[in-house]
Amino acid sequence: MPPRFRDIVEEARLSARALLDYSEGFFNPTVRLGVTGLSRAGKTVFITALVHGLTRGGRFPVFEAYASGRIARAYLAPQPDDAVPRFAYENHVRTLVEERRWPSSTTDISELRLVIEYQRQNGADRKLTLDIVDYPGEWLLDLPLLNKSYEQWSADSLALSREPLRAKLAAPWHAHLTTLKPEAKADEQAALTAARLFTDYLRACRDERFAMSLLPPGRFLMPGNLADTPALTFAPLDVPVDESAPDGSLWAMMRRRYESYKDVVVRPFFRDHFARLDRQIVLADALAAFNAGPEALHDLEAALAGILDCFRIGRSTIVSALFRPRIDRILFAATKADHLHHQSHDRLEAVLRRIVAKAAERAEYAGADIDVVALAAVRATREAQVQRGRDRLPSILGTPAPGEVANGEMLDGETEVATFPGDLPDNPEELFNGGFRGLSRSDAEAADYRFLRFRPPKLEHNGDAEPALPHIRLDRALQFLIGDKLQ
């Protein structure tokens, strides 16, 4: 099917689905909230804490409708889409509260429906249905592939892999690449080896020492039921951007599988899920980038810019809701703010605001509302003052996860420790100018920032009721994302 005609068909499908969604929500308004973020950003914890707080009596002083008592109750409703797995909320709460472990990372799409009964400011009783769609941020980074040929993607991927820090990680793949002749006859074993080495390179980039974020194609690192299929058995080749692949060649085979990846993975995700979102929160683990070093911070900046470019944004109107759904509010959240003293929370927020500044300007020009917040959906630490010589350092106190190392000692997961992770600079540009050392170029003792992984907090139970989950600025996120819908 010619690309232009295929695009017309896709738009027709999206319009038909938008019309159906609009008619279903005419008398019972529905907001589809997308929750995404790159690996280990805390998507599962965010959704669990949000639902737990609304249904079990959380503390949300900044969330106006909740704080003023206009929300009568919130409860979970049956799964809205039969073909999408349900977000395992109950299991995640049990893991957090009873086992004091963080839930497993998001590896696939899932959904949860929350109904909020509330009173409008004029006194009328209403219901808002909130459909929360959880999906890996790595899938979002695949959307630009829809507008790239195999040759363009190969050129971009190779250029990125040849940057100094990545080149070391890509060395085995690069070595194999030199043995391949793109115009030679298609060779299944050569393709399998290339795909495996390319995937190994992507996996190495994601290691916490390097914390790279720009790692498409996303399904290479989380293949699911597509593992070992031809749609995931391809890799970049060093080929000219403006030439065609000879029939029956390795180049032609790689190109065909790349196009299959877009048809089997990327387009269905865009059509069935992504294009239907109304609101979006993008979670980012900026602290992992501080741990790794300046290269990881610049990589995160590029990844978040690419993510924002994917969104179909603009002011939501009746016409857009009927025929061309748009995301009209996007919140970027720097997670794990509890790993810093509160004196650095605004600085963490300023760093994320600097990261998304250029992309946010374009979104705001299109009529979308953009905001940035530093938060911790579940606060794992407390604050303390630690005496070091004559100085008292603003520190945090918590229980590091088993295997974490502090002051040269491996911790058992039961011992509470106080740590000073380092102060973020007042001016974010100091970080972007490369003025700090990370794990990618030095050992842990020499790194300027070192953030431990903490276990969830130990909570006090009061009777049979589940305890509230402590948080930092989760209520501010709720106010921005759905506060206007509850007026």
Side-chain angles (χ1 to χ4, degrees):
M1 208 187 308
R4 187 177 298 277
F5 181 64
R6 180 165 55 192
D7 291 343
I8 294 172
V9 172
E10 288 294 321
E11 286 296 328
R13 288 178 178 174
L14 291 176
S15 296
R17 186 59 184 264
L19 183 60
L20 177 63
D21 288 344
Y22 184 81
S23 62
E24 290 177 347
F26 189 77
F27 296 103
N28 184 19
T30 298
V31 173
R32 288 182 63 82
L33 171 64
V35 180
T36 195
L38 300 173
S39 180
R40 296 184 290 272
K43 300 177 290 296
T44 303
V45 175
F46 175 84
I47 296 172
T48 303
L50 181 155
V51 174
H52 190 273
L54 290 177
T55 58
R56 304 297 177 90
R59 300 183 182 92
F60 296 143
V62 178
F63 186 27
E64 187 275 331
Y66 192 92
S68 64
R70 291 194 296 107
I71 293 181
R73 66 170 182 146
Y75 57 92
L76 293 173
Q79 171 74 355
D81 292 318
D82 293 338
V84 179
R86 182 181 184 273
F87 181 83
Y89 164 72
E90 294 81 4
N91 290 341
H92 297 324
V93 169
R94 191 177 306 112
T95 301
L96 276 171
V97 176
E98 298 179 11
E99 301 176 18
R100 293 185 63 198
R101 291 189 298 106
W102 300 111
S104 301
S105 299
T106 299
T107 58
D108 206 340
I109 194 164
S110 64
E111 213 170 32
L112 196 66
R113 171 163 285 184
L114 183 70
V115 178
I116 302 173
E117 295 181 354
Y118 70 101
Q119 186 179 70
R120 297 190 62 187
Q121 291 178 340
N122 63 9
D125 292 332
R126 290 287 187 270
K127 287 183 181 180
L128 176 71
T129 299
L130 183 64
D131 285 342
I132 304 171
V133 183
D134 174 32
Y135 64 96
E138 287 79 2
W139 291 16
L140 205 54
L141 292 173
D142 280 349
L143 293 183
L145 303 182
L146 292 175
N147 298 317
K148 285 185 180 182
S149 68
Y150 170 74
E151 291 75 19
Q152 290 171 324
W153 171 72
S154 289
D156 292 347
S157 298
L158 284 167
L160 190 63
S161 72
R162 287 165 179 159
E163 292 182 356
L165 188 58
R166 285 176 177 253
K168 298 177 183 178
L169 306 177
W173 167 48
H174 285 170
H176 177 68
L177 190 64
T178 62
T179 69
L180 301 178
K181 296 181 179 180
E183 296 83 2
K185 184 179 178 180
D187 184 337
E188 183 68 42
Q189 292 305 310
L192 285 167
T193 302
R196 175 177 57 79
L197 292 172
F198 178 61
T199 303
D200 289 345
Y201 148 70
L202 295 178
R203 190 173 291 113
C205 287
R206 198 171 63 172
D207 183 273
E208 68 171 3
R209 292 171 298 165
F210 309 102
M212 296 295 180
S213 304
L214 205 54
L215 303 171
R219 285 293 185 98
F220 275 49
L221 294 177
M222 45 186 69
N225 60 359
L226 293 175
D228 300 323
T229 63
L232 265 65
T233 309
F234 65 92
L237 290 174
D238 205 349
V239 294
V241 173
D242 54 356
E243 294 185 17
S244 299
D247 291 341
S249 65
L250 177 64
W251 179 359
M253 182 174 74
M254 293 286 201
R255 189 181 193 280
R256 185 181 68 253
R257 292 180 176 185
Y258 170 80
E259 294 298 330
S260 294
Y261 180 83
K262 293 196 290 185
D263 290 338
V264 172
V265 175
V266 186
R267 284 193 177 90
F269 167 65
F270 175 78
R271 179 183 65 240
D272 298 335
H273 307 292
F274 180 74
R276 298 172 57 203
L277 299 176
D278 305 304
R279 302 281 167 92
Q280 177 71 54
I281 180 170
V282 180
L283 305 172
D285 185 3
L287 301 189
F290 300 154
N291 260 351
E295 295 89 351
L297 190 60
H298 287 288
D299 204 67
L300 177 62
E301 180 180 25
L304 291 180
I307 284 175
L308 191 49
D309 284 344
C310 294
F311 291 126
R312 178 177 282 180
I313 54 177
R315 195 169 304 281
S316 181
T317 64
I318 293 178
V319 174
S320 70
L322 282 171
F323 300 110
R324 192 176 174 85
R326 294 176 179 173
I327 294 174
D328 59 358
R329 288 199 176 194
I330 303 175
L331 180 65
F332 286 93
T335 58
K336 305 177 185 177
D338 57 330
H339 288 44
L340 290 164
H341 193 271
H342 77 269
Q343 294 175 356
S344 285
H345 289 174
D346 288 343
R347 298 172 187 175
L348 176 60
E349 195 170 292
V351 171
L352 186 58
R353 193 175 299 277
R354 159 66 176 77
I355 288 175
V356 302
K358 293 180 181 178
E361 285 179 9
R362 295 194 297 272
E364 290 171 345
Y365 181 78
D369 292 325
I370 308 291
D371 200 5
V372 172
V373 64
L375 61 77
V378 174
R379 182 171 189 165
T381 66
R382 310 188 310 277
E383 294 190 351
Q385 295 286 329
V386 174
Q387 191 78 34
R388 182 176 292 178
R390 296 183 178 180
D391 298 326
R392 293 181 64 83
L393 300 178
S395 305
I396 56 175
L397 190 67
T399 305
E404 288 292 288
V405 177
N407 299 321
E409 178 185 355
M410 182 174 291
L411 300 170
D412 58 7
E414 301 294 334
T415 305
E416 194 172 59
V417 302
T419 179
F420 175 65
D423 282 328
L424 297 182
D426 291 326
N427 183 2
E429 292 301 328
E430 294 181 24
L431 296 172
F432 289 90
N433 291 336
F436 70 100
R437 294 168 297 178
L439 296 177
S440 61
R441 296 191 181 275
S442 61
D443 57 33
E445 298 301 322
D448 289 320
Y449 300 103
R450 189 69 181 104
F451 300 99
L452 300 175
R453 292 181 299 115
F454 290 94
R455 293 183 64 189
K458 187 175 183 179
L459 303 176
E460 296 294 333
H461 289 259
N462 186 10
D464 295 332
E466 286 187 356
L469 294 170
H471 66 87
I472 297 173
R473 295 176 177 171
L474 179 59
D475 49 347
R476 179 176 150 187
L478 280 167
Q479 179 63 28
F480 177 79
L481 291 169
I482 61 172
D484 63 313
K485 298 291 186 180
L486 301 171
Q487 292 179 357

